[in-house]
Amino acid sequence: MTPPTSEAPALDSNAKKKQPTVFEDLDSKDNRISVATKATSEIMIALLVYKLCTWTWLVKLAPSMISVAETVHLSLPVYWVIRKTFFAQFCGGETAKDCVNTMESLKVSGVNSILDLSVEADLEATSSTKTHSDEQTRQRLNKHADSVAEQIRTCIKTASHQPQAFAAVKITALGSPLVLQQVTTTLSALEGAFESLDTNNTGRLDKEGFTALFRMLSNPKIESLDQLFQDADCDKDGFVDWVDVKSSLSFNTKARELFLDASPTRIPGLAKEDLDDYEVMLRRLETLCDQALSTHTRLMIDAEQTYFQLAINTVVLHLQQKYNVKAPEGPLIFNTYQMYLKAAPKRLRDDYRHSQRNEYVLAAKLVRGAYINSERQRAKDLGLADPICDGIEATHQAYDAGVHFLLHEIGSSTLSTTSAVVVVASHNKGSVVKVIRQMQELGISPESGVVLFGQLLGMCDQMSYTLGRHGYGIYKYVPYGPIQQVIPYLLR
C-alpha cells in the first residue's frame, strides 16, 4: 500500500500578484481599462475625434463653418457628420431616455452619472427686439423657462432610477437671463460699495458704515434700517462683514424690495416686473428641488458666464440653505466654482462662512472654467479688468488651494456630519493625484461620499475608470439634447 503524500495546494497565480495601487494604475501606460469594453468602431471614432480636436484651425473655424452651413441650408449633412463623431463621443443622446444605456454601461465600471439636459441661454437670444415689446419678451422667456423646467423634471425622473446619480441644472434656462444680468450688476455694485466704505480694510462695517451703504440702495426704507442691522450683526459686536451684508440685503427675501426702482443710483435697482420674474424663477427651482428631494436625486447647478454668476450664486446659496441639512444621504444641492476667476477663492471661503453661520452643508464642485475666451474678449470690448487668473499656473494654484481648503474643513467627517462636500471636477491628472494623496493623509476613504470626482463623457476615460475600479466616487457628465441645442456645449 502506497503511503499518502502530502502536497501543498497550488496557489492561484493571481493571488501571488500584488494588485496595483490607484497611483500605479493612473501612471501605467499599459492600463487599458477604459477601452476593455468598447467596440473597435467606438475606439476608431474616439481616435478620429481626438485627432480633429488637435487641429487648432478647425476648432477656431467650427462656429463659423456651422453658421455658414445653416445659412446655405446645408445643416442636415453637417449635423449628420457631427452626430456620428463629436456628438457620439461626448453626448449620451438626444433625449434622457437615450442616455439610459450609457449610464448603465458607466455604472458597471463603477462610474456614476450626472445627467445633463444641455439647455442654456445667453443675452443675444433673449433680448428685446423692435418687433417685441418688453412685456412680450417677458412672456416669451417665462414660457420658455416653464418648458425647460418640465424637461428638467424628466431629467430628474430619469436620473432617479440610478442610485447616487445627479441631474444638472443651468439657471439661465429657468429664468430670464436679462434679469440675472441685472441682479449680478446690482450685487457687484453692492459689493463694490461695501469695499469702498471699508476704509480701514478690516472687511467689516460698523452701523454708521452700514447706514451709508443702505442709503445707496435704490429704494431704501429707513424704517427697516435698525432691524436689518440687528439681523445682520450675528455675533452682536456692532460690526457686519460682507457675508452678513449679502445675507441681510438678499434678493431671496422680502429685502428685495429695497432694490425696487430702475432709476440710476450708485447701486442700481430693478423694475417691479423684473423682481417678480426673479421670484417666479425661485419658485420654479424650488419645485424642482422638491422633486429631487422626494426622488433622492441630487442637483448639480452649473456655473455660467460672469455677467450671470453673482445672481446664480445667490440663488444657489438660498437653495442650499433650504435643502442642504445634515442627513445620512448628504447634501442635495451642489454649487459650481470656476477657479480660473480671480474672485473665486474669496467667494468660496465667503460661501463656506455663510453655510457655517446658517447651519447648512456647503456642497461645491470645483472646476477650472469653460468660458475663458469669451470672458476675456468681453472684458476687452467693454474696457473691464480681465476676470481670469494671470496664466495657467495661477489657475492651477487657485484650484488646488480651493480643494485643499475644503478637504481640511471636511477632515475625518462622515457624509451625515460633514460641513462640506467637494466634487473635484478636473481632467488634470496632477490635481487628481494630489487630492487622493491628501485624502489618504486626512484619513478620508474613497467610499466616504464627502469627496467626489467629476469628468466629462468621452474625456479622460482612463482616469475615470481607474478611479471607479478603486472605489472612488467618480462621475461623468452625460449631456443630451437635440443636436442643434448641444452645439454650444460641443464647441466649448
Side-chain angles (χ1 to χ4, degrees):
M1 183 174 180
T2 307
T5 59
S6 58
E7 293 184 4
L11 291 175
D12 184 350
S13 59
N14 290 329
K16 296 179 181 180
K17 186 178 180 181
K18 181 182 177 182
Q19 293 299 310
T21 66
V22 62
F23 303 110
E24 291 169 339
D25 270 346
L26 287 171
D27 284 336
S28 174
K29 294 181 180 179
D30 298 321
N31 187 347
R32 298 291 183 268
I33 186 173
S34 64
V35 297
T37 59
K38 294 185 183 294
T40 303
S41 59
E42 293 178 289
I43 297 172
M44 295 302 292
I45 288 174
L47 289 172
L48 172 63
V49 169
Y50 292 147
K51 181 63 178 178
L52 292 175
C53 288
T54 65
W55 294 357
T56 307
W57 64 269
L58 179 61
V59 174
K60 289 181 177 179
L61 287 176
S64 299
M65 293 167 66
I66 293 171
S67 178
V68 169
E70 291 173 339
T71 302
V72 299
H73 306 292
L74 289 176
S75 56
L76 195 62
V78 170
Y79 284 165
W80 184 88
V81 172
I82 293 173
R83 181 178 285 106
K84 296 297 182 181
T85 53
F86 295 94
F87 187 86
Q89 179 67 17
F90 300 119
C91 297
E94 296 203 40
T95 68
K97 186 177 180 181
D98 290 343
C99 299
V100 171
N101 287 341
T102 298
M103 294 172 67
E104 290 177 348
S105 176
L106 290 170
K107 191 69 174 180
V108 169
S109 298
V111 180
N112 301 292
S113 297
I114 302 172
L115 190 58
D116 177 22
L117 172 64
S118 191
V119 179
E120 57 192 278
D122 206 341
L123 297 174
E124 291 81 359
T126 57
S127 58
S128 298
T129 66
K130 293 180 180 179
T131 58
H132 292 87
S133 67
D134 289 344
E135 182 58 29
Q136 286 175 320
T137 300
R138 287 184 65 240
Q139 291 177 2
R140 177 169 56 85
L141 292 175
N142 276 309
K143 184 177 180 181
H144 173 74
D146 287 337
S147 172
V148 172
E150 195 58 38
Q151 293 175 65
I152 293 178
R153 290 182 66 84
T154 300
C155 179
I156 294 171
K157 182 179 179 181
T158 304
S160 71
H161 295 307
Q162 187 175 99
Q164 300 181 317
F166 282 83
V169 175
K170 289 181 175 62
I171 287 184
T172 53
L174 290 167
S176 166
L178 302 171
V179 172
L180 290 170
Q181 184 192 35
Q182 289 177 307
V183 172
T184 293
T185 299
T186 297
L187 291 173
S188 180
L190 181 65
E191 187 171 8
F194 176 93
E195 292 171 352
S196 69
L197 291 168
D198 177 24
T199 54
N200 296 322
N201 294 320
T202 61
R204 303 194 303 167
L205 299 179
D206 58 13
K207 187 173 181 181
E208 181 181 351
F210 182 83
T211 301
L213 179 68
F214 184 83
R215 291 182 181 277
M216 293 181 191
L217 301 177
S218 57
N219 185 34
K221 297 183 177 181
I222 301 303
E223 65 274 13
S224 63
L225 173 59
D226 289 341
Q227 188 61 52
L228 278 171
F229 185 78
Q230 289 179 30
D231 293 342
D233 184 13
C234 298
D235 52 10
K236 307 306 176 188
D237 65 350
F239 292 89
V240 293
D241 61 16
W242 171 241
V243 174
D244 296 325
V245 169
K246 72 176 183 178
S247 295
S248 62
L249 303 179
S250 172
F251 275 87
N252 303 316
T253 67
K254 289 184 178 180
R256 74 171 68 92
E257 295 174 0
L258 299 171
F259 299 99
L260 179 62
D261 188 0
S263 60
T265 55
R266 170 70 184 275
I267 300 173
L270 283 80
K272 181 180 184 304
E273 294 80 9
D274 294 328
L275 290 175
D276 289 345
D277 282 347
Y278 182 90
E279 187 171 5
V280 169
M281 178 188 65
L282 283 184
R283 301 293 85 80
R284 247 183 231 115
L285 282 157
E286 287 174 346
T287 299
L288 293 173
C289 291
D290 289 339
Q291 179 192 359
L293 181 64
S294 66
T295 59
H296 307 286
T297 308
R298 292 174 289 183
L299 298 184
M300 184 71 73
I301 312 296
D302 286 334
E304 302 188 55
Q305 293 91 336
T306 52
Y307 43 90
F308 300 133
Q309 194 56 48
L310 288 182
I312 291 172
N313 201 58
T314 296
V315 170
V316 180
L317 291 186
H318 164 74
L319 297 175
Q320 290 192 331
Q321 187 171 343
K322 183 172 182 177
Y323 293 95
N324 283 10
V325 297
K326 290 186 178 180
E329 61 270 21
L332 185 76
I333 311 298
F334 284 65
N335 200 1
T336 302
Y337 296 84
Q338 299 186 98
M339 301 307 293
Y340 72 169
L341 296 175
K342 294 173 182 175
K346 179 179 182 299
R347 188 140 289 125
L348 176 63
R349 289 175 178 268
D350 282 350
D351 290 353
Y352 182 73
R353 283 193 293 159
H354 185 273
S355 71
Q356 290 294 285
R357 292 177 190 180
N358 293 280
E359 299 181 336
Y360 65 89
V361 181
L362 183 76
K365 179 185 72 170
L366 270 58
V367 302
R368 281 172 168 80
Y371 302 94
I372 184 169
N373 293 327
S374 59
E375 291 283 14
R376 282 193 157 146
Q377 187 59 51
R378 178 176 181 272
K380 182 180 178 181
D381 292 344
L382 298 178
L384 303 174
D386 187 349
I388 310 296
C389 288
D390 300 324
I392 187 64
E393 286 306 318
T395 296
H396 289 332
Q397 290 173 15
Y399 188 89
D400 291 343
V403 176
H404 179 81
F405 165 70
L406 290 175
L407 287 177
H408 279 266
E409 294 302 328
I410 292 168
S412 58
S413 303
T414 64
L415 193 57
S416 61
T417 64
T418 186
S419 61
V421 173
V422 61
V423 179
V424 182
S426 176
H427 300 113
N428 184 298
K429 187 172 76 172
S431 288
V432 170
V433 168
K434 191 177 295 185
V435 171
I436 294 173
R437 292 196 187 282
Q438 290 180 66
M439 289 175 66
Q440 292 181 350
E441 292 168 3
L442 293 168
I444 303 174
S445 74
E447 300 86 2
S448 64
V450 295
V451 181
L452 308 173
F453 295 86
Q455 278 131 27
L456 300 178
L457 185 69
M459 295 181 66
C460 290
D461 285 349
Q462 178 179 336
M463 191 187 304
S464 304
Y465 283 70
T466 296
L467 291 173
R469 170 189 281 175
H470 288 271
Y472 288 86
I474 172 66
Y475 286 78
K476 283 286 197 183
Y477 254 78
V478 182
Y480 70 92
I483 189 164
Q484 65 273 21
Q485 191 172 282
V486 302
I487 289 294
Y489 168 78
L490 292 174
L491 289 174
R492 284 201 302 273

